Amino acid sequence: MKIAPILRNYCPNYTSNAKNSVSVPVRNTNVVNSGVKSNLMGDCFVKSASKPSFTGIEKTALSIIDKIPLDEKIASIFSMMRFGDMLITAPAIKDAEAALKAGTKSFQQVIKRFIFVPEPKLQSPLAFFKDSMGSVEVMNLSKKTVVLKDNISGKSAPLMQYDKYFVVDGDELTVGDLKIPIKSMSTANLSMSRNYFSQIFDFSEAVQSTIDAQNAKTIRRMFKPTNVAAKKTSFADIGGQDKALDVLKKEIIFPIKYPEAYKNTVLNHGFILYGPPGTGKTLTAEALANEASANFIKLNGLEMESKWVGESEANWRTLFDTARELQPTVIFIDEFDAVAKKRGGADVYGDKVVNQLLSLMSDVEKNGDEIYVVAATNKLDALDDAITRSGRFGRKVEMKAPETLKDMVNIFNIHTKNRVLDENLNVEKHAKKLLDAKATGADVAYIANKANEYSFDRSGVYQKMAEGTFIPSDVEKLVITDADFDRAIGDFMSERKTTQRKPIGFIHYDKKNS
């Protein structure tokens, strides 16, 4: 611990030549001690306010201070100590430094100020603390035994190294040949002399900022976000993606659940889910977090961008700091190509963001953090090569549109499982239509909702709602029929045709009019 020099001012009361000086009382209230202002200096007499003179004073003052017993000095410090202070007394500052470094883990409170009182006769460094109620505790920082004599019972007890006991007026500490009576106040008022026999190292401001930051972290942990949305999604809610889910189980879920099995395995921490829109990339990431019992952070790549230069990099650092506090964590980044595009173009600031992300992912890999970043994109070729290499986002998982009737039936059943279907509903017929139309999971979910709406329309539920005659029993026996799905699929096909762009340079002719 590096100790900054202490600026000392000496009062004429302790000098033999003060009476020969023409003195003006001046209060020094702005003495800098270890980078922090101190107000412990009393009224000191100097020859003039602008030109102080200390000639011959220090030697005389120190000789007087040496005669003050250690117990008086300690008692004087007790009167100005507050919660968060530590008074340490040792033969020299180097002894105090060594004792503090060795005993750091034994301190049960945050230390804001260190007050050092040197005592050459002391064989074992001692530390004194004041709790929030004003009681004083003593700790033996040495391997040598210190004896504490209880004033009330008269009994003595040994204090071994790092033992800590409350002390009160009348107790007595014996350290070798030195006896230290405990008193809450010194016999004489030594407030004007404390700067002679003590040094204060005040870190209150820095320590308080650390306390505030740690408290904020603790609060975030107490009220950490739910893993995902209120409706807990699982892999059972995802159809047609068995290969992708198998990869995620083996490379994310199992390492989180069974870490002892992966001690000698280099794990991937970056995954890219790629494929056409609507194939369930976001749903898969949410289900992954639930299956792994991990915290889930979801964002869009564009959300992390900022028009302010340098702020995007800071956002990414904050994101990873949060994930590290809450680990195990799954970070899901949608539209990943917005931030991880190829570098080297005119977008200098975008290059910086990519570099920052690469650095953060390297730290995750190096530290072995339980942080898994799952990115989703429809444009795999647009990503920077350094992002997709092994060790960063080297694991690429394809999310395909359904390719078999079995997959489509599975997806159809998932999106209709909470709906009442007609018992004669021909599921395979509708699944075949959807497969031929190259519908995705998102398309099937949309069609199931539309079919439900058409069942309301067909049964007159909407009309009753408009007339104000609707009652809950109107939907109790409501079922979705083949006709409802036929109508929903027909609308879907029509909408798809109208939204498809025609090739440039070609003219569409209606066969009837050709």
Side-chain angles (χ1 to χ4, degrees):
M1 179 170 64
K2 186 175 180 181
I3 305 301
I6 307 301
L7 183 61
R8 298 174 180 271
N9 287 4
Y10 296 104
C11 299
N13 297 359
Y14 299 99
T15 66
S16 58
N17 63 343
K19 59 185 179 181
N20 298 323
S21 303
V22 179
S23 305
V24 179
V26 177
R27 179 176 292 277
N28 186 335
T29 60
N30 195 33
V31 178
V32 177
N33 184 10
S34 297
V36 183
K37 293 182 179 180
S38 173
N39 292 322
L40 297 178
M41 302 301 171
D43 290 326
C44 297
F45 291 91
V46 294
K47 205 163 191 180
S48 69
S50 59
K51 190 176 181 181
S53 174
F54 302 112
T55 306
I57 294 180
E58 184 167 351
K59 184 177 180 180
T60 303
L62 292 180
S63 64
I64 295 173
I65 294 301
D66 286 343
K67 296 178 182 180
I68 302 176
L70 178 59
D71 58 282
E72 290 288 330
K73 296 175 182 177
I74 291 175
S76 177
I77 299 297
F78 282 169
S79 65
M80 49 77 68
M81 279 179 69
R82 55 180 182 259
F83 180 61
D85 289 352
M86 173 195 281
L87 163 60
I88 180 169
T89 179
I93 194 69
K94 63 180 182 179
D95 301 307
E97 178 184 359
L100 288 172
K101 286 182 177 179
T104 300
K105 293 183 179 179
S106 300
F107 306 149
Q108 298 301 310
Q109 66 186 59
V110 177
I111 310 302
K112 296 182 179 180
R113 294 195 306 171
F114 292 90
I115 306 169
F116 173 63
V117 176
E119 177 49 64
K121 298 177 182 178
L122 192 64
Q123 297 178 7
S124 300
L126 296 175
F128 296 88
F129 307 84
K130 217 169 204 182
D131 67 12
S132 58
M133 302 299 292
S135 300
V136 176
E137 295 176 280
V138 62
M139 176 185 283
N140 178 14
L141 296 178
S142 170
K143 293 182 179 179
K144 297 180 180 179
T145 302
V146 174
V147 178
L148 170 62
K149 183 179 180 182
D150 188 330
N151 175 48
I152 299 175
S153 66
K155 295 180 179 180
S156 297
L159 269 67
M160 310 307 289
Q161 189 176 27
Y162 306 133
D163 281 351
K164 193 175 180 184
Y165 288 91
F166 283 103
V167 290
V168 296
D169 279 17
D171 289 350
E172 185 179 75
L173 294 169
T174 301
V175 186
D177 299 329
L178 185 64
K179 295 186 182 299
I180 308 172
I182 299 297
K183 56 185 78 173
S184 57
M185 294 187 64
S186 56
T187 305
N189 185 356
L190 300 178
S191 59
M192 303 283 288
S193 309
R194 289 193 196 112
N195 61 299
Y196 293 104
F197 60 75
S198 67
Q199 295 178 348
I200 298 179
F201 306 98
D202 196 330
F203 304 102
S204 300
E205 185 174 342
V207 170
Q208 189 59 53
S209 64
T210 302
I211 293 173
D212 293 342
Q214 185 58 51
N215 286 341
K217 290 180 182 179
T218 302
I219 291 170
R220 285 200 296 271
R221 289 179 180 177
M222 286 174 60
F223 302 102
K224 62 186 178 183
T226 309
N227 282 353
V228 285
K231 177 187 174 183
K232 297 202 75 171
T233 307
S234 69
F235 281 174
D237 299 311
I238 301 167
Q241 302 293 347
D242 292 345
K243 290 182 180 180
L245 300 185
D246 188 58
V247 171
L248 298 177
K249 283 179 184 177
K250 292 177 179 178
E251 300 192 24
I252 298 181
I253 296 175
F254 292 163
I256 290 176
K257 289 189 172 182
Y258 312 107
E260 62 278 0
Y262 292 83
K263 289 181 180 179
N264 299 319
T265 303
V266 178
L267 298 172
N268 290 303
H269 289 269
F271 295 76
I272 298 176
L273 304 182
Y274 70 97
T279 51
K281 294 185 285 292
T282 301
L283 194 67
T284 297
E286 292 178 354
L288 169 65
N290 280 323
E291 296 280 355
S293 298
N295 287 287
F296 183 66
I297 300 175
K298 176 183 175 182
L299 63 145
N300 187 290
L302 293 173
E303 293 175 0
M304 296 301 291
E305 289 301 279
S306 171
K307 64 182 180 180
W308 305 111
V309 177
E311 190 173 330
S312 293
E313 300 98 292
N315 287 340
W316 284 105
R317 289 193 296 271
T318 301
L319 172 68
F320 274 76
D321 286 343
T322 302
R324 191 165 286 110
E325 293 166 15
L326 299 175
Q327 61 181 304
T329 305
V330 172
I331 300 174
F332 176 65
I333 309 172
D334 202 2
E335 297 189 51
F336 191 47
D337 46 278
V339 292
K341 51 187 173 291
K342 292 183 183 293
R343 293 174 293 177
D347 186 7
V348 178
Y349 304 129
D351 290 354
K352 289 183 178 180
V353 172
V354 172
N355 291 335
Q356 178 67 66
L357 185 55
L358 292 173
S359 175
L360 291 168
M361 286 301 296
S362 293
D363 290 342
V364 167
E365 181 184 9
K366 179 176 64 178
N367 299 332
D369 293 322
E370 286 190 307
I371 298 173
Y372 294 89
V373 184
V374 180
T377 182
N378 306 327
K379 306 172 184 176
L380 185 63
D381 293 340
L383 301 181
D384 191 274
D385 293 338
I387 284 282
T388 58
R389 78 168 179 80
S390 179
R392 306 285 170 75
F393 289 88
R395 198 65 169 101
K396 293 175 278 293
V397 182
E398 185 176 8
M399 302 286 289
K400 299 179 179 180
E403 296 180 327
T404 67
L405 181 60
K406 179 182 177 182
D407 287 343
M408 185 60 79
V409 169
N410 186 20
I411 293 172
F412 187 93
N413 289 334
I414 286 173
H415 291 294
T416 58
K417 67 181 179 181
N418 295 322
R419 305 182 189 279
V420 181
L421 305 179
D422 189 320
E423 59 182 11
N424 297 318
L425 188 76
N426 191 336
V427 174
E428 287 197 4
K429 180 190 79 169
H430 301 302
K432 181 68 168 60
K433 285 183 180 179
L434 294 170
L435 185 64
D436 292 342
K438 300 186 183 302
T440 64
D443 295 333
V444 176
Y446 168 78
I447 289 167
N449 283 330
K450 291 293 290 184
N452 188 62
E453 290 177 9
Y454 288 141
S455 72
F456 274 43
D457 191 31
R458 173 179 50 78
S459 303
V461 172
Y462 285 140
Q463 184 177 350
K464 290 181 180 181
M465 288 179 176
E467 294 172 352
T469 59
F470 170 80
I471 56 177
S473 60
D474 290 332
V475 295
E476 288 178 359
K477 296 181 180 180
L478 192 65
V479 295
I480 304 176
T481 65
D482 280 323
D484 297 325
F485 270 105
D486 286 337
R487 184 179 175 188
I489 293 173
D491 286 352
F492 167 73
M493 298 293 290
S494 298
E495 290 172 5
R496 171 171 284 189
K497 286 181 180 179
T498 58
T499 55
Q500 286 179 340
R501 294 182 61 185
K502 299 179 178 64
I504 297 175
F506 289 83
I507 301 174
H508 175 73
Y509 291 95
D510 191 329
K511 289 184 178 181
K512 293 182 180 179
N513 299 325
S514 60

